[in-house]
Amino acid sequence: MSEHLAELRTPCALVDWGVLEKNCARMSGRARSLGVVLRPHVKTHKCVEIARIQTRGHSSALTVSTMAEARAFAAAGFNDLTYAVPVPFHAIPEAADLLARGTRLSLLLDSEVALRELEAAGSARNLRLPVFLKVDCGYHRAGVDPGREESLELARALAASPHLEFRGILTHSGQAYRCASAEEALSVAEHERDVMAAFAGKLRSAGVPVPEVSVGSTPACCAARDWSGATEIRPGNYAFFDAFQAAIGSCALEDALAFTVLATVIGHYPERKALLLDAGALALSKDPGATHVDAPCGFGVLCDVPGRPIRGLRLGSLSQEHGQVVVSDPTLFARMPLGSKVRIIPNHSCLAAACFGSYVVLKDGRADGKWDTMGGR
Amino acid sequence: MSEHLAELRTPCALVDWGVLEKNCARMSGRARSLGVVLRPHVKTHKCVEIARIQTRGHSSALTVSTMAEARAFAAAGFNDLTYAVPVPFHAIPEAADLLARGTRLSLLLDSEVALRELEAAGSARNLRLPVFLKVDCGYHRAGVDPGREESLELARALAASPHLEFRGILTHSGQAYRCASAEEALSVAEHERDVMAAFAGKLRSAGVPVPEVSVGSTPACCAARDWSGATEIRPGNYAFFDAFQAAIGSCALEDALAFTVLATVIGHYPERKALLLDAGALALSKDPGATHVDAPCGFGVLCDVPGRPIRGLRLGSLSQEHGQVVVSDPTLFARMPLGSKVRIIPNHSCLAAACFGSYVVLKDGRADGKWDTMGGR
């Protein structure tokens, strides 16, 4: 049964099926044309239905960010997962359980201490735990420095371990989020590729086989023209995009209509040029957005229900369940009466999506179905 | 069965029962000694067990921020609730249902349009919906200006309506969060009290009875010495406190140990003076904290497992599931080995708590039980 958006209770999370399909098809085509496996990161949406769209025509390989995601996607039949965080040791027993039951959950390590922990677990369970060596390609969040001799030695030890399966090397070009344009993101992608190809070459020359070279971030994957040397990409945000990605040139703003937060106007204060929405920090997150470029929207881009940006409005501040909007054009009060609805493209769709337990699916402008997400850890 | 914290999977939310009890007892005593009803705001924790502690020795009056909270607390036997957001019209039918089933859920309005909506709903259901007039005492988020003639007329219309029960006037001194000290928060509390007492006086002189004068925010309620003219206070954050409240002088830092996020060290990068935790934006929120004072902690105060702050550490940035810590003192790596645990006092406990579906209850330093929260809308 389809519903008009005006009938929905708010705040709620909308996924526009048509835009989602387009975003997914575009990245799917990019992966195919550049000859790399697409292993989408599902942390953006945490939703089985969306992962099915993303992997259509591909293997069912996915990237996850929590063990709750690993558990839920494994239960839904996705049996080739990469847990893309340096593995917290308490997660190792559950990862081993998943492997024993047939889900190849690859783990990340970037230290000798972690290597010993994983070896001990593999040995105790008589399993070969699949492991990637996490490499720092310039983001400086996690990963070994590919220029250091110790990094080569760690890869060698990993590949030589009878209790581990060395899957290869993996990096995340998160520094692409600091770019201001697609051109800059292209340089990041090229640097990422070159760093990883060179490190893979160095390992292979040293007699260490490197089955996979896994790269990517959404801005880098949107900009890249050549992934030579890489075997797979792991973008995630591209399914939804958001105001941040539009600001740095990864997508057009209308691509980011894939995920919006529907809100209701609950206050009019023309004397202080403000109106109030029922979407606050627990619907949008407090992500400040692309402040290094220019975020004239504040905490998200306000759109009307059909999805057209409403110019002259700025989400000035958020409290837990209130969103305060600065109204520079007084005629907008009449256009947005109390009780009317707006759609908000959040600054960061991954964090906003995690505020909701399900998505209302939008087809041809009407609410048509609901997709659940998995919360928890 | 009690567990050592070192055995818990992370990130998880810890509630220290002893500190929580102390925080609640202190506010309970303040309300009693100042002669006002305590109607705690439960949006901070969304947890029935904690609301029971907060209301011990008081009426069971609570403040809520979502209909999901209203529903869940009503089901748990709390039958006097105030929904402290200008009511989104789509929530009115459910509020009427709750009232018809015996929960006095008071709603907020600050416009004639909302008055007409509520009257129509009350009339259609043959109910008298309990309603507060929301007043702006200087926060400028919501509420009528008490200095305008229209505000008095709105109160008069509200009090005269046969379909509404005029509960009184209500305000929230959110501007107290902009203070830099308890002294400044005291001035905000005094201003709030004076504005509300004057407006109540004006209404009464005009023949409008004002049963309740409801005020408060945690900083104002921690600082206030005299609530003359007010009948009830609605602080919420005080149950947990947080790094923000400690920075602006509402509490000592150790009071904020009531709520902490337990995290695991998952990366050591001494060459770039950094370590990595498995607590990111979905465990702490991206609330920047008390930036107007000084937030040397970044996204939260790092403590060891017993709860002592670890000096020289700063949570420099958060991504979805990673927390990057700047390590100025290299000896700290040995003190915090890979796999070890830390506790984080978040900048904003309300937003961090909402990242979790339950709390691990800490008694005498050990995990002892679990309290669930209600999510959803």
Side-chain angles (χ1 to χ4, degrees):
Chain A
M1 212 193 62
S2 76
E3 273 180 291
H4 278 297
L5 297 195
E7 292 154 18
L8 296 174
R9 291 198 205 178
T10 57
C12 71
L14 303 179
V15 168
D16 188 309
W17 182 81
V19 182
L20 171 73
E21 285 276 359
K22 254 190 258 174
N23 292 344
C24 292
R26 207 179 309 127
M27 189 60 80
S28 168
R30 294 185 68 83
R32 205 169 279 124
S33 71
L34 299 179
V36 284
V37 166
L38 176 63
R39 180 186 289 276
H41 203 319
V42 295
K43 78 180 180 70
T44 301
H45 52 76
K46 299 175 184 259
C47 172
V48 168
E49 285 83 353
I50 297 176
R52 293 211 172 106
I53 294 172
Q54 287 179 294
T55 56
R56 200 187 293 143
H58 292 266
S59 78
S60 67
L62 295 179
T63 310
V64 301
S65 70
T66 64
M67 287 306 291
E69 292 164 25
R71 234 173 280 141
F73 283 101
F78 293 90
N79 58 12
D80 179 7
L81 306 174
T82 298
Y83 179 24
V85 173
V87 62
F89 299 158
H90 54 82
I92 298 174
E94 192 180 0
D97 288 346
L98 280 170
L99 180 64
R101 290 202 304 271
T103 299
R104 189 194 205 191
L105 177 66
S106 298
L107 304 174
L108 265 55
L109 68 75
D110 60 10
S111 71
E112 219 191 301
V113 177
L115 175 73
R116 286 196 301 266
E117 285 280 334
L118 284 160
E119 275 200 304
S123 165
R125 299 283 297 264
N126 200 25
L127 289 168
R128 286 189 75 200
L129 295 169
V131 176
F132 277 96
L133 179 64
K134 169 87 184 195
V135 176
D136 179 12
C137 71
Y139 182 29
H140 304 324
R141 185 178 68 177
V144 300
D145 178 344
R148 289 166 69 106
E149 202 50 38
E150 296 93 317
S151 306
L152 190 151
E153 290 313 315
L154 187 57
R156 193 196 299 281
L158 211 171
S161 169
H163 307 300
L164 302 176
E165 178 200 1
F166 181 44
R167 296 289 316 271
I169 57 177
L170 177 150
T171 196
H172 169 60
S173 52
Q175 71 270 35
Y177 283 81
R178 296 177 202 130
C179 291
S181 66
E183 291 68 40
E184 283 181 41
L186 175 61
S187 324
V188 169
E190 288 172 346
H191 177 74
E192 176 181 27
R193 175 199 68 198
D194 294 345
V195 165
M196 294 299 278
F199 189 51
K202 188 173 159 189
L203 294 181
R204 288 170 183 143
S205 303
V208 179
V210 183
E212 302 286 345
V213 178
S214 178
V215 298
S217 61
T218 285
C221 292
C222 288
R225 293 177 195 155
D226 173 0
W227 281 122
S228 301
T231 62
E232 68 167 23
I233 57 173
R234 305 184 325 282
N237 181 279
Y238 75 89
F240 285 167
F241 287 123
D242 51 30
F244 190 111
Q245 299 281 358
I248 68 169
S250 298
C251 66
L253 191 61
E254 55 264 35
D255 301 328
L257 287 170
F259 175 85
T260 49
V261 173
L262 188 71
T264 298
V265 178
I266 59 169
H268 267 196
Y269 313 98
E271 64 285 5
R272 42 188 178 79
K273 298 184 179 181
L275 63 77
L276 202 58
L277 300 176
D278 65 351
L282 290 192
L284 295 165
S285 92
K286 278 211 166 177
D287 199 292
T291 49
H292 66 294
V293 183
D294 187 17
C297 60
F299 286 97
V301 176
L302 280 130
C303 300
D304 60 15
V305 168
R308 291 174 302 238
I310 310 174
R311 304 289 170 191
L313 292 187
R314 187 175 185 281
L315 249 175
S317 72
L318 301 178
S319 37
Q320 187 160 336
E321 300 291 348
H322 302 73
Q324 289 180 264
V325 180
V326 183
V327 183
S328 43
D329 171 2
T331 67
L332 289 171
F333 288 103
R335 229 179 106 186
M336 303 172 69
L338 279 170
S340 67
K341 301 279 199 279
V342 292
R343 282 168 75 187
I344 307 164
I345 299 174
N347 283 339
H348 191 166
S349 57
C350 311
L351 300 188
C355 294
F356 297 91
S358 63
Y359 306 122
V360 173
V361 184
L362 205 58
K363 281 187 186 167
D364 304 321
R366 293 175 70 94
D368 191 357
K370 193 171 76 91
W371 290 340
D372 288 332
T373 67
M374 69 240 19
R377 302 288 173 181
Chain B
M1 213 192 62
S2 77
E3 275 180 289
H4 278 297
L5 297 196
E7 292 155 18
L8 296 174
R9 291 198 205 178
T10 57
C12 70
L14 304 178
V15 168
D16 188 309
W17 182 81
V19 182
L20 171 72
E21 284 277 1
K22 253 190 257 175
N23 292 345
C24 292
R26 208 179 309 127
M27 189 60 79
S28 168
R30 294 185 68 82
R32 205 169 278 122
S33 72
L34 299 180
V36 283
V37 166
L38 177 63
R39 180 187 289 276
H41 203 319
V42 294
K43 77 180 181 71
T44 300
H45 52 74
K46 298 174 184 262
C47 172
V48 167
E49 285 83 353
I50 297 176
R52 292 211 172 104
I53 294 172
Q54 287 178 293
T55 54
R56 200 187 292 141
H58 293 265
S59 78
S60 67
L62 295 179
T63 310
V64 300
S65 70
T66 63
M67 288 305 293
E69 292 165 25
R71 233 173 280 143
F73 283 101
F78 293 89
N79 58 13
D80 179 8
L81 307 174
T82 298
Y83 179 24
V85 173
V87 62
F89 300 157
H90 54 82
I92 298 174
E94 192 179 359
D97 289 346
L98 281 170
L99 180 65
R101 290 200 305 270
T103 299
R104 189 194 206 191
L105 177 66
S106 298
L107 304 174
L108 265 55
L109 68 76
D110 60 9
S111 71
E112 220 192 299
V113 177
L115 174 72
R116 286 196 301 266
E117 285 280 333
L118 284 159
E119 275 201 304
S123 165
R125 297 284 296 264
N126 201 23
L127 289 167
R128 286 189 74 200
L129 295 170
V131 176
F132 277 95
L133 179 65
K134 170 88 184 194
V135 176
D136 180 12
C137 71
Y139 182 29
H140 303 325
R141 184 177 68 178
V144 299
D145 178 345
R148 289 165 70 106
E149 201 51 36
E150 295 92 319
S151 306
L152 190 151
E153 290 313 315
L154 187 58
R156 193 196 299 280
L158 212 172
S161 170
H163 307 300
L164 303 176
E165 179 199 359
F166 181 44
R167 296 290 315 272
I169 58 177
L170 178 149
T171 195
H172 170 60
S173 52
Q175 70 269 37
Y177 282 81
R178 297 177 201 131
C179 292
S181 67
E183 290 69 39
E184 284 181 39
L186 175 59
S187 325
V188 169
E190 288 173 346
H191 176 74
E192 177 181 24
R193 176 200 66 198
D194 294 345
V195 165
M196 293 299 278
F199 188 51
K202 188 172 157 188
L203 293 181
R204 287 171 183 141
S205 303
V208 179
V210 183
E212 301 287 344
V213 177
S214 178
V215 298
S217 62
T218 285
C221 292
C222 288
R225 293 178 194 154
D226 174 359
W227 280 122
S228 302
T231 61
E232 70 167 21
I233 58 173
R234 304 184 325 283
N237 181 281
Y238 74 91
F240 285 166
F241 287 124
D242 50 31
F244 190 111
Q245 299 281 357
I248 67 168
S250 298
C251 66
L253 192 61
E254 55 264 35
D255 301 327
L257 288 169
F259 174 85
T260 49
V261 173
L262 188 72
T264 298
V265 178
I266 59 169
H268 267 195
Y269 313 98
E271 64 283 6
R272 43 189 176 79
K273 300 185 178 177
L275 64 75
L276 202 59
L277 302 175
D278 66 351
L282 289 192
L284 294 165
S285 91
K286 278 211 164 176
D287 198 292
T291 49
H292 66 293
V293 182
D294 187 16
C297 60
F299 287 97
V301 176
L302 280 130
C303 300
D304 60 15
V305 167
R308 291 175 302 241
I310 310 173
R311 304 288 169 192
L313 291 188
R314 186 174 185 281
L315 248 175
S317 72
L318 301 178
S319 36
Q320 187 160 337
E321 299 291 347
H322 301 74
Q324 288 181 264
V325 180
V326 184
V327 184
S328 44
D329 171 2
T331 67
L332 289 172
F333 288 102
R335 229 180 108 187
M336 302 172 71
L338 279 169
S340 66
K341 300 280 200 279
V342 292
R343 282 168 75 187
I344 307 164
I345 299 175
N347 284 339
H348 191 166
S349 58
C350 310
L351 299 188
C355 294
F356 298 91
S358 63
Y359 306 122
V360 173
V361 184
L362 206 58
K363 282 189 186 166
D364 305 322
R366 293 175 70 94
D368 192 357
K370 193 170 77 90
W371 290 339
D372 288 332
T373 66
M374 70 239 18
R377 301 290 172 178

mmCIF file of all heavy atoms in Angstrom, chain B residues 1-3 7 366-369:
data_model
loop_
_atom_site.group_PDB
_atom_site.id
_atom_site.type_symbol
_atom_site.label_atom_id
_atom_site.label_comp_id
_atom_site.label_asym_id
_atom_site.label_seq_id
_atom_site.Cartn_x
_atom_site.Cartn_y
_atom_site.Cartn_z
ATOM 1 N N MET B 1 25.145 -12.226 37.573
ATOM 2 C CA MET B 1 26.566 -12.561 37.454
ATOM 3 C C MET B 1 27.366 -11.309 37.108
ATOM 4 O O MET B 1 27.034 -10.611 36.153
ATOM 5 C CB MET B 1 26.746 -13.605 36.349
ATOM 6 C CG MET B 1 27.861 -14.577 36.597
ATOM 7 S SD MET B 1 28.231 -15.541 35.099
ATOM 8 C CE MET B 1 28.749 -14.290 33.938
ATOM 9 N N SER B 2 28.357 -11.022 37.875
ATOM 10 C CA SER B 2 29.133 -9.814 37.584
ATOM 11 C C SER B 2 30.367 -10.168 36.769
ATOM 12 O O SER B 2 30.918 -11.256 36.871
ATOM 13 C CB SER B 2 29.515 -9.113 38.879
ATOM 14 O OG SER B 2 30.580 -9.769 39.504
ATOM 15 N N GLU B 3 30.773 -9.219 35.929
ATOM 16 C CA GLU B 3 31.905 -9.438 35.029
ATOM 17 C C GLU B 3 32.924 -8.321 35.188
ATOM 18 O O GLU B 3 32.559 -7.171 35.453
ATOM 19 C CB GLU B 3 31.430 -9.338 33.572
ATOM 20 C CG GLU B 3 30.867 -10.582 32.963
ATOM 21 C CD GLU B 3 30.444 -10.292 31.522
ATOM 22 O OE1 GLU B 3 29.441 -9.581 31.340
ATOM 23 O OE2 GLU B 3 31.125 -10.772 30.603
ATOM 24 N N GLU B 7 36.329 -7.867 30.212
ATOM 25 C CA GLU B 7 35.719 -8.975 29.451
ATOM 26 C C GLU B 7 34.614 -8.519 28.497
ATOM 27 O O GLU B 7 34.107 -9.306 27.709
ATOM 28 C CB GLU B 7 35.126 -10.002 30.432
ATOM 29 C CG GLU B 7 36.190 -10.731 31.241
ATOM 30 C CD GLU B 7 35.652 -11.247 32.575
ATOM 31 O OE1 GLU B 7 34.423 -11.360 32.744
ATOM 32 O OE2 GLU B 7 36.487 -11.525 33.456
ATOM 33 N N ARG B 366 32.339 -3.474 38.811
ATOM 34 C CA ARG B 366 32.109 -4.652 37.970
ATOM 35 C C ARG B 366 30.786 -4.522 37.222
ATOM 36 O O ARG B 366 29.862 -3.864 37.692
ATOM 37 C CB ARG B 366 32.093 -5.929 38.825
ATOM 38 C CG ARG B 366 33.458 -6.257 39.430
ATOM 39 C CD ARG B 366 33.371 -7.448 40.368
ATOM 40 N NE ARG B 366 33.126 -8.691 39.658
ATOM 41 C CZ ARG B 366 34.085 -9.528 39.263
ATOM 42 N NH1 ARG B 366 35.350 -9.256 39.505
ATOM 43 N NH2 ARG B 366 33.784 -10.641 38.627
ATOM 44 N N ALA B 367 30.722 -5.147 36.054
ATOM 45 C CA ALA B 367 29.491 -5.141 35.269
ATOM 46 C C ALA B 367 28.495 -6.060 35.943
ATOM 47 O O ALA B 367 28.793 -7.235 36.182
ATOM 48 C CB ALA B 367 29.778 -5.615 33.856
ATOM 49 N N ASP B 368 27.320 -5.530 36.243
ATOM 50 C CA ASP B 368 26.351 -6.313 37.003
ATOM 51 C C ASP B 368 24.949 -5.966 36.507
ATOM 52 O O ASP B 368 24.275 -5.119 37.074
ATOM 53 C CB ASP B 368 26.518 -5.981 38.486
ATOM 54 C CG ASP B 368 25.748 -6.957 39.372
ATOM 55 O OD1 ASP B 368 25.059 -7.830 38.816
ATOM 56 O OD2 ASP B 368 25.849 -6.835 40.598
ATOM 57 N N GLY B 369 24.547 -6.608 35.438
ATOM 58 C CA GLY B 369 23.201 -6.380 34.921
ATOM 59 C C GLY B 369 23.187 -5.453 33.723
ATOM 60 O O GLY B 369 24.210 -4.907 33.318
#
